[in-house]
Amino acid sequence: MGRLTLKLVKNTMTPSLKRITNALDKLPAEAHKVFKGETPIKTGNARKRTRLQGEVIKADYKYATELDAGKSRQAPEGMSKPTEEYITKRVKAIMRKK
């Protein structure tokens, strides 16, 4: 049997992984901004009561489900769908970037 020797000449993975990790760490805050921006505004209560807790977006008001279902002409797709679409596009961009 032959012998195979591998030598690491340059570590190109570590910088890429750090860049990816840093970008993904920022994603919850970016998604929160998108979600909040998609939230319809009438009195300002819904936007004011939408917060980021850890990595979770909390819409802390009674009519959040109705707004997210598209019950407002200002956000016919709700807030979750556009936010999910943003996250999907952003992750693809992060993973493609060199």
Side-chain angles (χ1 to χ4, degrees), residues 6-24:
L6 295 174
K7 181 179 177 186
L8 181 63
V9 177
K10 184 178 178 186
N11 182 351
T12 58
M13 286 296 288
T14 301
S16 294
L17 290 174
K18 284 182 182 178
R19 180 193 55 76
I20 290 168
T21 301
N22 288 338
L24 292 176

Side-chain angles (χ1 to χ4, degrees), residues 42-81:
K42 185 173 181 180
T43 65
N45 182 60
R47 287 190 182 180
K48 183 173 50 179
R49 298 198 55 166
T50 298
R51 351 183 182 329
L52 184 63
Q53 290 185 331
E55 296 180 352
V56 176
I57 299 170
K58 297 264 183 161
D60 190 20
Y61 46 95
K62 290 181 182 182
Y63 50 95
T65 304
E66 288 84 12
L67 288 182
D68 200 35
K71 301 272 180 172
S72 170
R73 280 186 251 149
Q74 290 180 21
E77 291 188 333
M79 299 84 71
S80 294
K81 183 178 178 185

